[in-house]
Amino acid sequence: MKNFIITLSLVLIAQFGFSQATDEAFKKDVLKVIERSGSANQMKSAKKQILAMIPEDKQASFIVDFDATLPALYDKLAVIYMATYTKEDIKAMLAFYESPVGKKMADKSGELMEKSQEAGKEWGEGLQTMMAKYMQ
């Protein structure tokens, strides 16, 4: 009985170790998807917008601090992706983002975000006018 418990314990420990290694590989692939999907371009676009509000003499320090926050953000996003997608999903996404159209999509993501925000702003202004009509 004692040998059975020891053997079972060793098997469980080995399984746990293998699971962690597998999860690390999965997380590494997820981080690649986040990177290749254009998230970095979107963050550059967001940084540029925020930078416009920072006094010029403090911008260099802000950039250093802003960039230092990104790895923690990407780690949190990786946990969300890992809970949402399977390993096979992530492999398929990687294959897509390595294709020509996937690369183009990633390259244009920052530009699309800026243009989408502008379109949303214009829509919101029109919506406010319409709401004012009904609120009287």
Side-chain angles (χ1 to χ4, degrees), residues 20 25 27 37 48 53 61 91-92 114 123 131 133:
Q20 283 186 323
K27 182 177 180 182
S37 68
K48 188 172 99 175
M53 297 181 264
S61 295
K91 294 284 186 194
E114 289 177 19
W123 175 79
M131 288 171 54
K133 175 178 134 181

Side-chain angles (χ1 to χ4, degrees), residues 15-84:
Q15 181 63 29
F16 179 71
F18 179 74
S19 173
Q20 283 186 323
T22 302
D23 287 348
E24 283 303 312
F26 184 31
K27 182 177 180 182
K28 191 175 181 178
D29 283 346
V30 167
L31 289 170
K32 284 182 194 175
V33 166
I34 292 169
E35 173 195 337
R36 293 181 183 162
S37 68
S39 291
N41 289 336
Q42 292 175 2
M43 296 311 293
K44 284 178 189 175
S45 179
K47 180 170 54 175
K48 188 172 99 175
Q49 290 176 2
I50 296 168
L51 209 54
M53 297 181 264
I54 305 289
E56 194 171 323
D57 61 324
K58 297 179 181 178
Q59 289 183 0
S61 295
F62 170 79
I63 290 169
V64 170
D65 289 344
F66 181 93
D67 290 347
T69 68
L70 295 178
L73 171 63
Y74 294 146
D75 280 343
K76 288 179 183 180
L77 291 175
V79 171
I80 294 167
Y81 275 60
M82 291 168 73
T84 305

